[in-house]
Amino acid sequence: MAARQPHRFLRPFLLASAAAIAGGGILYASYRPRNLPGSDPAAVPPPGYGEGGMFVPPRFPQVKSREQQIADLKKSAGIRETLEKTKGVFSTFLGSGDVIEKRRVEDGAETYDLLIIGGGATGTGIALDAATRGLKVALVERDDFASGTSSKSTKLVHGGVRYLEKAVWELDYNQYKLVREALRERKYFLDTAPHLSMWLPIMIPIQKWWQAPYFWAGTKFYDLLAGSEGIESSYFLTKSRALDAFPMLKKDNLFGALVYYDGAHNDSRMNVSLAMTAALYGSTIVNHVEVTGLTKDENGKLNGARVKDLVREKDGKVAEEFTIRAKGVINATGPFTDSIRKMDDQGASEIVAPSSGVHVILPGYYSPSKMGLIDPATSDGRVIFFLPWQGNTIAGTTDAPTDITQNPIAGEAEIDWILSEIRGYLAPDINVRRGDVLAAWSGIRPLVRDPKSKNTESLVRNHLLTVSDSDLLTCAGGKWTTYRQMAEETVDEALRLYKLKPGPVLQVPHISGTEMVDDSAALDGTCQTHQVRLLGAHGFSKTLFINLIQHFGVETDVAKHLTESYGDRAWTVAALSAPTEKRFPVRGLRISPLYPFIDGEIRYAVRHEYAQTAVDVLARRTRLAFLNAQAALEALPYVIDLMGDELHWDEKRRKVEWKDTVQFLASMGLPKSKLGVTRKDVESGAAGEYDEHERKLYSRHDRPADTMESDSKFASNENLVLSTDSRANK
């Protein structure tokens, strides 16, 4: 009996110890120290001062000019152009001192391994992957990089908590697989472009007590799936702490909140960086070049495409067609996928189910600067994100079938629905007004069509690879977070389909600006894009903006914006900025007084990022058009003047730019009455005036101004607006 006594105490002790160890392990796994992407010191230290106190600027490699890239495209078909300078009588007849002499040299053709059609996230991702495997790559884009869906996302880099919920409840392995893949890619995304992406805490408000364990289990499962790819563990907030973190929340029926972590990014800047990085690795990348037809050999297999330079048309010149030769052609045109497939085969079936996603931009005071919010249960079952972005607040999105257009316009019904949902979870004393919408746009998601489903909201955002009879390789569907994985699978298929042989990249460009830094990616012919850091990442750190302030004398918000948009290339942008002739700031003339975009960004966009139109700058190089359509309109004269000086535009081209840009701003939420606005109207301030109907929709202030009773010169019962005998009406 006495012998059993120790065992009676030993067993509970062992169980308690095991529970403590297990609990400690879970706590350690949840709260262990982790390295935040971008928090490490820069791989390349900031430039310093040499002998004699002279500043030693960084020396970054240059991409080829757009003209050089187009010349390279023409070489693929055996066409070489030589530029001969002539003077005198020839210039009199031709109106120029330049005569283009074309020579067809069949033996000198430099055929590409791959021709990629489409310069969005998918197309530029494929170009970078193929180039870093040693392939000879060309990419053409009809408009600009990220001109379509890739610039109109929710700005999240996420695994998809709603997809995970569906995967669990519907026992859908494909949904589960998509989440796992996206969580892995999320980490690669933030590692290779830390200046353009960041971790963002997102709050889920809890209305009922029983929702707490439900959402807690869901977010913890999300953390578990992320594993080492995660960064911070989700956590619960009591009602008081939730309101402290997000003061705009409605207090009624609020039980608490759960906070989980996902990624956020600057989508179009990311897209442009992918394109420029691919160009530095040897790809021929050209925007504003339209594919007019596909070419085939005697066996009916694709061997290239006919294209034309649309910039020449904008300049009032003839856009001559020319041929690009390639061993394989890849279709990565997003919503326009089926148009290229039908260019190849008129009888091709449509594989894309286009879905419209509307977003609105509200002032920054609608949300905390470092905390987002998700409403998982809207009035019709859809999900609404409410996120801080570029100093403003982005809200969306809708999800409905749509027609495919170049620049879709957000409808008033969709905007009103988003605003109505926002009112449902913000405090009642916050007046959510239509006039607070600074910009609104509609992006077309290229969802993969499921013939069994009519509701596009239920479609999985998976990608699909298809090959036509003529060997057109199409990559359709997917989402921003998984662009790299999509590119890897596409290049793998291209290698097999076109019998291409990858190889090591022997002349690796020193993208960091120095030979002393190893990019850690062994470019041996295999896919290494999970390690290839994008242009701007090498010298970026969270404190880089301080170096810019100290050296160039730019304002703090401008310096932070530059480093978070350009990484270490912020040095070049700041150097291209004009002096202010003030004590401080010393450099950087703002494009708009409301935002930190400066003149150096326009020069950098033209010289280093192939910007060819004012829309390229206002929408994709800076994000002003997405943040505030009216501010973009007011900045337009300055942007056109600066770009015109850089690109030598004549007066006719400047007028074309004005007309095209104002038309584009209509798709960003600019009122219809502004479509006929002139430059003179903007410069005189008349463009800010509204009629009575539009004032109620768009004006961000009340009229007439309310006067406090203590400050009024009139009696409290005297109505200055309605009274016919009022002194104000005499």
Side-chain angles (χ1 to χ4, degrees):
M1 194 72 179
R4 288 185 178 182
Q5 196 72 12
H7 292 285
R8 188 175 64 179
F9 294 104
L10 182 61
R11 186 174 181 181
F13 174 76
L14 292 176
L15 290 175
S17 300
I21 293 172
I26 293 173
L27 286 173
Y28 177 78
S30 299
Y31 300 103
R32 69 187 185 278
R34 309 187 194 190
N35 290 325
L36 288 166
S39 62
D40 295 330
V44 178
Y49 294 84
E51 295 182 4
M54 293 293 293
F55 177 71
V56 182
R59 296 183 178 181
F60 299 120
Q62 299 283 326
V63 295
K64 290 182 178 181
S65 69
R66 186 172 181 276
E67 291 71 22
Q68 290 174 318
Q69 297 279 42
I70 290 177
D72 287 345
L73 291 177
K74 293 179 177 179
K75 289 178 185 178
S76 69
I79 299 176
R80 299 180 184 277
E81 290 187 353
T82 59
L83 192 65
E84 297 181 351
K85 299 290 182 181
T86 61
K87 296 182 179 180
V89 66
F90 290 100
S91 61
T92 302
F93 288 114
L94 297 170
S96 171
D98 298 343
V99 176
I100 301 293
E101 179 189 329
K102 292 186 178 179
R103 302 174 182 173
R104 182 171 292 279
V105 188
E106 298 294 345
D107 295 337
E110 300 175 10
T111 303
Y112 288 98
D113 292 319
L114 294 175
L115 169 61
I116 303 162
I117 305 173
T122 304
T124 53
I126 293 170
L128 179 60
D129 189 302
T132 53
R133 297 201 210 187
L135 299 180
K136 185 175 176 62
V137 181
L139 180 148
V140 292
E141 161 60 44
R142 178 180 62 182
D143 196 335
D144 185 28
F145 312 119
S147 59
T149 307
S150 296
S151 63
K152 299 175 180 178
S153 71
T154 310
K155 323 304 177 191
L156 285 177
V157 187
H158 62 132
V161 288
R162 55 176 172 165
Y163 301 148
L164 180 60
E165 184 180 29
K166 287 183 179 181
V168 172
W169 286 110
E170 299 174 10
L171 299 178
D172 188 336
Y173 178 75
N174 287 329
Q175 293 269 17
Y176 170 80
K177 183 179 178 182
L178 175 66
V179 175
R180 284 295 304 269
E181 177 184 289
L183 288 172
R184 183 188 68 246
E185 293 300 317
R186 183 184 67 175
K187 185 64 160 55
Y188 294 153
F189 202 114
L190 274 71
D191 284 341
T192 56
H195 56 303
L196 294 170
S197 52
M198 59 181 163
W199 289 98
L200 179 68
I202 301 178
M203 178 182 291
I204 307 174
I206 297 174
Q207 309 293 335
K208 307 292 184 180
W209 69 266
W210 56 264
Q211 291 178 322
Y214 177 79
F215 287 128
W216 183 87
T219 54
K220 287 302 177 184
F221 189 24
Y222 196 62
D223 296 341
L224 180 65
L225 287 182
S228 61
E229 316 298 348
I231 187 66
E232 293 285 351
S233 179
S234 56
Y235 56 90
F236 175 77
L237 290 177
T238 61
K239 178 179 179 178
S240 60
R241 292 191 62 191
L243 290 171
D244 183 56
F246 209 116
M248 305 82 177
L249 277 180
K250 181 187 292 186
K251 299 179 182 179
D252 298 343
N253 300 322
L254 182 67
F255 178 78
L258 270 159
V259 177
Y260 73 98
Y261 285 81
D262 249 327
H265 75 133
N266 188 337
D267 50 9
S268 72
R269 290 287 330 153
M270 180 74 179
N271 202 153
V272 171
S273 294
L274 281 168
M276 295 302 101
T277 306
L280 285 174
Y281 276 99
S283 298
T284 303
I285 308 283
V286 189
N287 55 351
H288 299 287
V289 169
E290 181 180 21
V291 172
T292 59
L294 301 176
T295 62
K296 300 178 181 180
D297 61 19
E298 61 276 7
N299 298 318
K301 301 297 184 181
L302 290 177
N303 63 359
R306 296 283 297 169
V307 302
K308 65 177 181 179
D309 181 9
L310 298 181
V311 172
R312 288 185 61 84
E313 288 186 349
K314 284 182 174 288
D315 287 334
K317 301 175 182 178
V318 177
E320 182 185 5
E321 288 190 0
F322 60 92
T323 301
I324 304 172
R325 295 294 181 203
K327 298 173 184 176
V329 179
I330 297 177
N331 175 16
T333 51
F336 303 96
T337 290
D338 289 323
S339 64
I340 298 297
R341 295 180 74 248
K342 290 182 178 180
M343 189 181 290
D344 170 49
D345 177 9
Q346 285 292 332
S349 61
E350 295 184 352
I351 63 173
V352 170
S355 171
S356 170
V358 171
H359 295 82
V360 301
I361 288 289
L362 297 165
Y365 54 70
Y366 269 88
S367 68
S369 61
K370 298 294 183 181
M371 176 76 75
L373 183 142
I374 179 175
D375 181 3
T378 59
S379 59
D380 62 359
R382 289 180 285 186
V383 171
I384 281 279
F385 284 100
F386 197 64
L387 311 167
W389 183 66
Q390 299 284 307
N392 283 353
T393 301
I394 183 172
T397 178
T398 61
D399 196 351
T402 187
D403 295 326
I404 298 175
T405 56
Q406 183 70 19
N407 291 308
I409 296 177
E412 283 298 324
E414 289 87 351
I415 295 173
D416 289 343
W417 179 82
I418 293 174
L419 296 180
S420 175
E421 294 299 325
I422 291 172
R423 293 186 187 101
Y425 54 79
L426 292 188
D429 58 339
I430 298 177
N431 185 15
V432 181
R433 305 176 299 177
R434 175 61 177 85
D436 283 338
V437 177
L438 304 176
W441 70 86
S442 173
I444 301 177
R445 300 187 189 93
L447 307 183
V448 179
R449 182 179 297 277
D450 182 353
K452 297 180 182 179
S453 176
K454 294 181 180 180
N455 180 10
T456 61
E457 195 278 331
S458 66
L459 295 176
V460 178
R461 272 62 172 171
N462 262 336
H463 60 279
L464 176 69
L465 292 177
T466 64
V467 180
S468 71
D469 293 338
S470 60
D471 287 349
L472 174 65
L473 176 56
T474 296
C475 181
K479 62 178 184 176
W480 242 119
T481 307
T482 56
Y483 86 89
R484 194 209 65 83
Q485 179 67 27
M486 294 163 60
E488 179 179 352
E489 293 179 12
T490 303
V491 175
D492 287 344
E493 178 63 19
L495 294 176
R496 183 199 64 78
L497 179 64
Y498 305 126
K499 298 179 175 57
L500 302 175
K501 294 184 178 180
V505 179
L506 300 178
Q507 296 182 342
V508 179
H510 300 295
I511 296 180
S512 65
T514 175
E515 300 179 8
M516 301 175 62
V517 176
D518 182 5
D519 201 20
S520 75
L523 304 181
D524 56 2
T526 61
C527 178
Q528 294 294 322
T529 48
H530 61 291
Q531 300 184 84
V532 175
R533 282 177 284 190
L534 300 188
L535 178 147
H538 299 79
F540 171 76
S541 70
K542 296 290 187 181
T543 57
L544 179 60
F545 76 96
I546 299 174
N547 302 114
L548 284 186
I549 296 171
Q550 292 176 337
H551 182 72
F552 290 106
V554 295
E555 294 174 274
T556 301
D557 61 334
V558 170
K560 287 183 177 180
H561 155 68
L562 293 182
T563 56
E564 291 169 0
S565 298
Y566 302 90
D568 56 25
R569 265 51 175 187
W571 289 101
T572 305
V573 178
L576 290 173
S577 302
T580 63
E581 307 302 334
K582 299 178 182 178
R583 183 177 180 275
F584 191 86
V586 179
R587 283 184 179 270
L589 302 176
R590 292 188 184 237
I591 299 172
S592 168
L594 302 174
Y595 297 93
F597 307 118
I598 58 174
D599 61 314
E601 296 180 73
I602 303 175
R603 297 186 182 92
Y604 183 84
V606 172
R607 299 180 190 182
H608 301 281
E609 293 182 337
Y610 299 156
Q612 296 295 306
T613 70
V615 173
D616 293 351
V617 168
L618 286 171
R620 270 93 58 175
R621 303 313 185 279
T622 70
R623 307 312 308 273
L624 186 56
F626 280 82
L627 291 168
N628 192 320
Q630 179 68 27
L633 177 66
E634 293 168 359
L636 184 54
Y638 184 61
V639 172
I640 288 178
D641 286 346
L642 239 175
M643 292 190 73
D645 293 342
E646 287 286 323
L647 295 169
H648 310 293
W649 288 343
D650 58 20
E651 189 61 29
K652 184 178 179 181
R653 173 63 192 274
R654 292 174 193 240
K655 290 180 179 178
V656 169
E657 284 301 313
W658 182 271
K659 180 181 178 182
D660 290 350
T661 307
V662 172
Q663 193 67 38
F664 170 81
L665 290 176
S667 69
M668 292 288 107
L670 193 70
K672 292 181 180 179
S673 65
K674 305 294 183 185
L675 298 185
V677 72
T678 66
R679 176 170 180 152
K680 184 178 180 180
D681 292 334
V682 171
E683 292 177 333
S684 67
E689 298 176 358
Y690 295 88
D691 59 32
E692 187 64 20
H693 171 69
E694 289 187 334
R695 184 190 67 78
K696 294 178 181 178
L697 283 177
Y698 301 104
S699 178
R700 297 183 60 208
H701 54 81
D702 298 322
R703 190 177 66 181
D706 294 327
T707 303
M708 300 297 290
E709 184 176 343
S710 59
D711 295 327
S712 177
K713 299 178 181 179
F714 306 99
S716 60
N717 61 349
E718 190 170 0
N719 191 318
L720 300 182
V721 178
L722 300 179
S723 178
T724 57
D725 58 349
S726 169
R727 280 169 283 179
N729 295 325
K730 291 182 180 180

